[in-house]
Amino acid sequence: MSRPDITASIAGIRSPNPFWLASAPPTNSAYQVRRAFEAGWGGVVWKTLGHDPAAVNVSSRYGAVDYDGRKMMGFNNIELITDRSLEDNLAEIRQIKREFPNHAVLVSLMVESTREAWHDIVKRVEDTGADGLELNFGCPHGMSERGMGSAVGQVPEYTCMVTEWAKEVAQTPVFVKLTPNVTDVRMPGRAARRANADAISLINTINSIMGVDLQTLAPRPQVAGRGSHGGYCGPAVKPIALNMVQQIASDPEIGLPVSGIGGIQTWQDAVEFMLLGAGSVQVCTAAMHYGFRIVEQLESGLVNWMRERGFSCLSDFVGASVGRVGTWNELDLSYKVVADIEQDACIHCGLCYIACEDGAHQSIARTEIPLADFMAEPMGNTAVLESGRLTVVAGAGAGYVNRYEIKKDSCVGCNLCSLVCPVSGCISMQEADSGLPSMNWGEYQAKLATGEVEPIQPPGHA
Amino acid sequence: MIPKTRLSAEELAVNFADLHPAFSRDEALAEAARCLYCYDAPCTRSCPTGIDVPGFIQQILHDNPLGAAETILDENIFGGSCARACPTEVLCEGACVDRTLLTDPVRIGRLQRFATDAAAEKNIRFFEAGPDTGKQVAIVGGGPAGLSCAFHLRRLGHAVIVFEARDVAGGLNTIGLSPYKVSTEFALTEIEPIRDMGVEIRLGETVDADRLGALRQSHDAVFVAVGLGPTKSLPLPGADLPGVDEALDFIFPAHLGPLVDCRVGDRVVVIGAGNTAIDVATQAVRLGASSVTIAYRRGPEDISAFAYEYELARQDGVAFEWYVRPAAFVGTSTVEGVRVQPVHPDDLSDAGATRIIPCDQAIMALGQTPIVDRLGPLGEGVFSGGDCISGGAEIVDAVQDGKVAATEIDDYLKGSGR
Ligand SMILES: Cc1cc2nc3c(=O)[nH]c(=O)nc-3n(C[C@H](O)[C@H](O)[C@H](O)COP(=O)(O)OP(=O)(O)OC[C@H]3O[C@@H](n4cnc5c(N)ncnc54)[C@H](O)[C@@H]3O)c2cc1C
Ligand code: SF4
């Protein structure tokens, strides 16, 4: 089979691959964008431009959440839009487009909320030869206090109005970038659609305080001891972004292509966004963390996954999982899974047991097996060490080894044990027959009314 | 007379530097992140003092090293020494499930050191004496067992006096361990918090059977934790030649004076293959002996030394002579060799002619002799623990014995109405 074609095409904009750098510090200058394209990125959304005088940025600007030893699981910033002059930026965009005619160069925009301001910036940016525009209605910090960014994105009427202004003069595709700081992201999405936007990018960053310094009591990041609500992104926000991408992609009233953003770090992340409807994906934090080189891993992962699955181009799978998400009411109440512990793989850490005992349904039995009995049975993969006339058994202590077994009758199939188990393939969720006909909530209500089924009881119910 | 080491103070400092250097903060955090936080954790079950290992590792991970130290010291007041000296391979780390998952255990000992060092640096006192009960307990022997008992008795509010025969407190924890595991200075710092709880330690006071009887009268209870005596000597021809030495006599000077004053032969033969023999051999190498040989009457599978101790000796360049039984020490005015009888591996019967392993120092390291019987029958109100009862175990076992004895003594004092 020939190499899968990963050319992306979204709202008429083509790029050699679906991996774009989001409008953010990595796309601040021609120097960086050139390095990015040379590294293999398919497109960029230029760091948001505004009218002169350019914005002023503070120091410091970024904060991070480290999680049990891993750095930057979450990341936030209080940086504003570009602090370089409009002219400098436009000249550099023009130059880049000349050097990389086949790469996607979109330009993010955020100006004062007047028709004149938007008309002016759209025309000047399009004059550079840029491929498209992205209206930044998302930044939750700083600019929003001046009536821009998320102040626009949080009010569907404003979103519609400003998008219309841009569309009145735009010759290139207009992407509207949405803020997640709303109760229902479909509302601003529909507003963008009403204004004839060509595509939607989401999500922008989430309102956040990264933490408090326990020595100085100042919030993080701090500027002279004070902080401000910053925009949260990085791997930790991915599930929130996936949810919103799917909501936009599945909404019949919107029907626009989507560029997915939010915590993408690995090729799997990127593919998941695409399965839930994203035609291209935008990356920021991962590139800020590790540099532009990560695109090699993204591309290699995507291509080999496509090879393995037999997909020849992106449209073979973009959006394939959108229809798999629906309301809770549509779920099959008779579907049943039960946990199963592969005893030979168990290392006796007890994490499944205590999780189920305290956090779920008390459905794991713990038995203390005397060490001698344990050693008489097959050992699974338990590490044993002979040292100075002693036999030392990993997982043993005080003369016994714990055996953990699922109480199949009361297991509700919640997944918790399999999620906490540190051993690959040790705890699996196995499909089981519930003895019930397939039915969703509505069907169940109907069958109950006719007496066709008994009320469903939780497993283990006396 | 065996000459002093020829190595300089600088060379000795390098040779006796920490076997496992302290973790940096980043190393500790990375290591702590490996801990799975097991339930009914095998490591805790395998620690003789029952330290909540996953608990203290989480405290380290969450930037609370002082809390971690408190968790450790609460169960084991010699937590810093144990962190360095415990045979973790066969205790907590041996039980670590990461050995199965990743072939490598979480370095519990080194994390324990990281936490206890943090507390020691800040000189924190976590524990206070309990409200005075008016009861008085005498403790005979100021080693880990005696001092651990003293600590827990003070927490329970009993007054404690410790009688220690030597001029230095801490027993073998202070003067018996390899200096590259626990330095004398560090061992002594761990005694300070115990003293600060109001434990009186009387140095240079040997308790004999008569004095024990008197203590039983003058105190509400007595705890005997006198440890063990010198290692056994072999009744072989030439055993009284100069240069034929006993293991502890060889080890103690490394703690009792500067290393440059330690004496060591040029070619040393060590008899025995337990942990003490390994300590003697590695100390001899590190003091500058040009060859060190361990002679043992069985094979490598039979040694009682722990696997990592054996490995350490091999790394230090110690040679091993297997299946040889010492028959005599030979020499005219000083020892010049050990005559050994080779034996059959199968039944240890003599195999061929004897031969001589040349040396200028021969050290017997064959397990310590009991001394507790010198105190006569212990009788009512006298409790005992540590090496003198176990016959020789680890620091951590002695600490636990002392802790358990404190509880038993407390029960006794409440029950006896004394
Ligand atoms: C060479 C060697 C190396 C060792 N290495 C390690 C190691 O690496 N890790 C480890 O965990 N363990 C090690 N051990 C074991 C450890 O040292 C002991 O298990 C531990 O010290 C026992 O504590 P204890 O309090 O019972 O006895 P001791 O430490 O022996 O303390 C007994 C104290 O009682 C005093 N005493 C004795 N008789 C009297 C008396 N009549 N009156 C008053 N005081 C008296 C002694 O002077 C001594 O201070 C080693 C032991 C040896 C011999
Ligand atoms: S005291 Fe020793 S055995 Fe116990 S946890 Fe610490 S290092 Fe491990």
Side-chain angles (χ1 to χ4, degrees):
Chain A
M1 193 176 120
S2 60
R3 182 185 160 89
D5 176 9
I6 58 167
T7 316
S9 173
I10 168 167
I13 297 180
R14 291 175 64 81
S15 59
N17 62 48
F19 306 117
W20 297 0
L21 285 168
S23 171
T27 60
N28 191 44
S29 66
Y31 174 80
Q32 289 163 290
V33 171
R34 190 175 295 118
R35 277 177 61 81
F37 285 157
E38 283 164 358
W41 291 87
V44 297
V45 184
W46 204 276
K47 167 96 176 161
T48 307
L49 305 188
H51 275 127
D52 291 337
V56 174
N57 274 308
V58 290
S59 131
S60 61
R61 298 176 202 178
Y62 305 142
V65 174
D66 300 341
Y67 188 73
D68 282 5
R70 292 294 297 216
K71 302 292 281 184
M72 271 174 58
M73 303 310 292
F75 184 65
N76 104 336
N77 78 90
I78 51 171
E79 182 172 297
L80 303 185
I81 63 174
T82 185
D83 47 20
R84 306 164 66 223
S85 81
L86 183 57
E87 277 318 315
D88 287 355
N89 275 298
L90 294 177
E92 291 188 6
I93 294 167
R94 191 183 306 276
Q95 174 64 25
I96 283 290
K97 200 54 230 180
R98 210 175 287 144
E99 290 173 35
F100 298 93
N102 299 322
H103 286 64
V105 179
L106 286 81
V107 180
S108 172
L109 304 176
M110 184 196 291
V111 293
E112 198 192 334
S113 291
T114 67
R115 174 178 262 132
E116 297 68 40
W118 280 95
H119 281 189
D120 176 71
I121 193 114
V122 167
K123 288 180 194 159
R124 289 168 74 179
V125 168
E126 287 193 334
D127 190 51
T128 63
D131 300 295
L133 309 171
E134 187 181 84
L135 313 186
N136 180 344
F137 297 163
C139 282
H141 48 270
M143 303 308 283
S144 55
E145 295 165 21
R146 304 173 204 170
M148 296 179 249
S150 64
V152 176
Q154 284 171 331
V155 183
E157 291 73 18
Y158 294 170
T159 302
C160 181
M161 176 177 76
V162 176
T163 308
E164 277 172 352
W165 291 338
K167 284 295 291 180
E168 281 165 5
V169 291
Q171 308 287 314
T172 61
V174 172
F175 287 53
V176 173
K177 185 168 179 179
L178 298 183
T179 173
N181 300 308
V182 292
T183 39
D184 186 343
V185 77
R186 289 173 303 180
M187 299 306 142
R190 288 172 190 172
R193 168 77 222 213
R194 282 197 298 280
N196 285 322
D198 299 283
I200 287 178
S201 306
L202 79 169
I203 60 173
N204 203 307
T205 54
I206 305 173
N207 275 330
S208 58
I209 293 173
M210 292 312 271
V212 178
D213 184 310
L214 299 183
Q215 300 304 321
T216 65
L217 312 192
R220 287 186 285 117
Q222 63 84 29
V223 178
R226 292 184 61 82
S228 184
H229 303 273
Y232 190 45
C233 53
V237 312
K238 185 185 98 172
I240 298 168
L242 282 177
N243 180 56
M244 292 191 171
V245 163
Q246 191 276 341
Q247 279 189 299
I248 294 291
S250 64
D251 189 43
E253 291 184 41
I254 298 177
L256 290 177
V258 175
S259 185
I261 316 167
I264 295 166
Q265 176 151 329
T266 69
W267 69 268
Q268 291 104 317
D269 297 335
V271 170
E272 289 168 48
F273 271 85
M274 296 170 88
L275 288 169
L276 289 172
S280 74
V281 292
Q282 299 185 27
V283 176
C284 167
T285 307
M288 291 181 72
H289 193 164
Y290 300 110
F292 296 137
R293 61 204 165 119
I294 59 162
V295 73
E296 293 165 33
Q297 279 73 49
L298 294 176
E299 179 166 331
S300 149
L302 171 65
V303 165
N304 283 299
W305 177 78
M306 288 174 70
R307 273 196 185 112
E308 227 180 302
R309 307 284 310 189
F311 294 131
S312 57
C313 61
L314 300 186
S315 57
D316 283 354
F317 67 89
V318 167
S321 301
V322 175
R324 297 274 196 106
V325 185
T327 61
W328 190 95
N329 274 349
E330 293 163 357
L331 300 176
D332 185 353
L333 296 180
S334 64
Y335 181 74
K336 185 178 175 189
V337 288
V338 173
D340 182 73
I341 300 177
E342 171 61 42
Q343 291 297 336
D344 270 352
C346 178
I347 60 172
H348 320 286
C349 68
L351 289 173
C352 59
Y353 170 80
I354 196 59
C356 185
E357 195 67 10
D358 290 355
H361 296 268
Q362 301 78 50
S363 295
I364 298 181
R366 180 178 77 90
T367 317
E368 294 178 6
I369 310 290
L371 191 55
D373 297 357
F374 177 80
M375 297 294 282
E377 292 168 29
M379 295 292 302
N381 63 350
T382 301
V384 179
L385 172 87
E386 307 286 339
S387 178
R389 300 185 189 152
L390 298 177
T391 301
V392 187
V393 181
Y400 65 90
V401 174
N402 282 312
R403 179 192 295 282
Y404 298 103
E405 283 158 309
I406 303 291
K407 301 181 200 164
K408 305 263 178 199
D409 290 343
S410 61
C411 167
V412 303
C414 71
N415 285 350
L416 183 63
C417 56
S418 71
L419 297 176
V420 300
C421 178
V423 186
S424 309
C426 179
I427 303 188
S428 58
M429 303 304 296
Q430 311 246 327
E431 290 189 5
D433 183 8
S434 68
L436 295 171
S438 169
M439 57 187 165
N440 64 31
W441 176 252
E443 291 160 349
Y444 170 54
Q445 294 302 301
K447 286 184 204 289
L448 267 185
T450 63
E452 204 180 314
V453 294
E454 295 287 310
I456 301 175
Q457 303 290 354
H461 186 85
Chain B
M1 176 107 166
I2 303 289
K4 284 189 184 177
T5 171
R6 289 186 305 263
L7 302 183
S8 67
E10 292 72 30
E11 288 168 315
L12 291 166
V14 171
N15 287 358
F16 286 89
D18 281 352
L19 197 55
H20 301 294
F23 272 149
S24 68
R25 177 171 180 275
D26 286 339
E27 285 174 305
L29 292 182
E31 193 62 22
R34 295 182 53 218
C35 173
L36 296 175
Y37 202 29
C38 291
Y39 172 75
D40 189 25
C43 50
T44 294
R45 275 150 52 201
S46 301
C47 168
T49 55
I51 290 174
D52 176 5
V53 174
F56 91 70
I57 293 180
Q58 285 268 313
Q59 287 166 316
I60 290 175
L61 184 61
H62 298 158
D63 239 341
N64 180 14
L66 295 182
E70 188 172 5
T71 300
I72 294 160
L73 298 170
D74 185 38
E75 294 292 356
N76 181 341
I77 194 63
F78 285 93
S81 297
C82 285
R84 294 160 165 83
C86 270
T88 53
E89 180 193 57
V90 299
L91 297 174
C92 52
E93 291 176 18
C96 178
V97 300
D98 264 358
R99 285 213 302 122
T100 300
L101 193 62
L102 307 169
T103 68
D104 226 18
V106 174
R107 304 289 159 188
I108 297 168
R110 295 182 72 183
L111 286 170
Q112 181 169 316
R113 172 171 175 183
F114 178 79
T116 49
D117 277 359
E121 252 160 50
K122 298 207 161 80
N123 211 13
I124 305 236
R125 297 288 182 267
F126 293 107
F127 311 103
E128 291 164 20
D132 191 6
T133 61
K135 308 282 185 193
Q136 295 219 336
V137 182
I139 294 183
V140 182
L147 293 177
S148 165
C149 184
F151 165 72
H152 287 282
L153 286 171
R154 284 302 294 141
R155 290 179 85 178
L156 294 164
H158 308 304
V160 182
I161 299 185
V162 177
F163 298 91
E164 166 54 52
R166 289 197 177 91
D167 292 334
V168 58
L172 293 187
N173 191 52
T174 305
I175 60 167
L177 304 183
S178 302
Y180 51 75
K181 286 185 192 160
V182 179
S183 72
T184 324
E185 300 78 60
F186 179 79
L188 290 174
T189 61
E190 283 218 295
I191 297 170
E192 285 318 305
I194 302 172
R195 247 194 256 270
D196 289 352
M197 303 238 323
V199 172
E200 188 187 340
I201 305 177
R202 296 202 186 155
L203 299 176
E205 297 215 21
T206 305
V207 173
D208 55 14
D210 289 348
R211 185 127 186 240
L212 179 63
L215 287 174
R216 277 175 60 188
Q217 297 308 313
S218 54
H219 288 72
D220 297 291
V222 180
F223 180 56
V224 171
V226 293
L228 296 167
T231 55
K232 291 175 201 131
S233 49
L234 289 171
L236 297 179
D240 48 4
L241 278 171
V244 178
D245 292 317
E246 182 273 332
L248 298 185
D249 280 344
F250 178 73
I251 288 173
F252 290 161
H255 291 280
L256 295 172
L259 288 167
V260 284
D261 289 345
C262 288
R263 297 179 179 276
V264 67
D266 182 43
R267 289 190 292 177
V268 179
V269 171
V270 182
I271 293 162
N275 293 312
T276 299
I278 301 278
D279 282 359
V280 168
T282 55
Q283 179 166 320
V285 171
R286 286 159 198 251
L287 284 173
S290 64
S291 87
V292 177
T293 304
I294 285 184
Y296 184 48
R297 65 196 173 92
R298 294 167 186 257
E301 333 54 72
D302 304 308
I303 59 173
S304 61
F306 297 125
Y308 71 93
E309 295 279 6
Y310 174 48
E311 200 40 50
L312 181 70
R314 284 162 40 117
Q315 279 170 17
D316 274 6
V318 173
F320 287 83
E321 291 266 11
W322 306 114
Y323 299 109
V324 290
R325 181 164 42 81
F329 299 100
V330 295
T332 45
S333 58
T334 61
V335 70
E336 287 163 25
V338 180
R339 180 183 298 282
V340 294
Q341 168 68 60
V343 297
H344 280 294
D346 303 334
D347 58 359
L348 304 184
S349 62
D350 291 359
T354 62
R355 62 190 165 86
I356 290 175
I357 308 174
C359 66
D360 53 10
Q361 185 172 27
I363 303 172
M364 291 179 279
L366 292 165
Q368 291 170 266
T369 48
I371 54 169
V372 66
D373 17 308
R374 293 184 202 160
L375 293 172
L378 297 182
E380 153 91 14
V382 182
F383 298 76
S384 56
D387 269 7
C388 68
I389 299 303
S390 69
E394 312 299 333
I395 303 289
V396 65
D397 297 296
V399 171
Q400 178 67 2
D401 285 359
K403 188 169 88 185
V404 170
T407 316
E408 287 170 1
I409 291 169
D410 187 52
D411 288 347
Y412 168 77
L413 293 178
K414 282 180 189 141
S416 70
R418 284 192 61 156

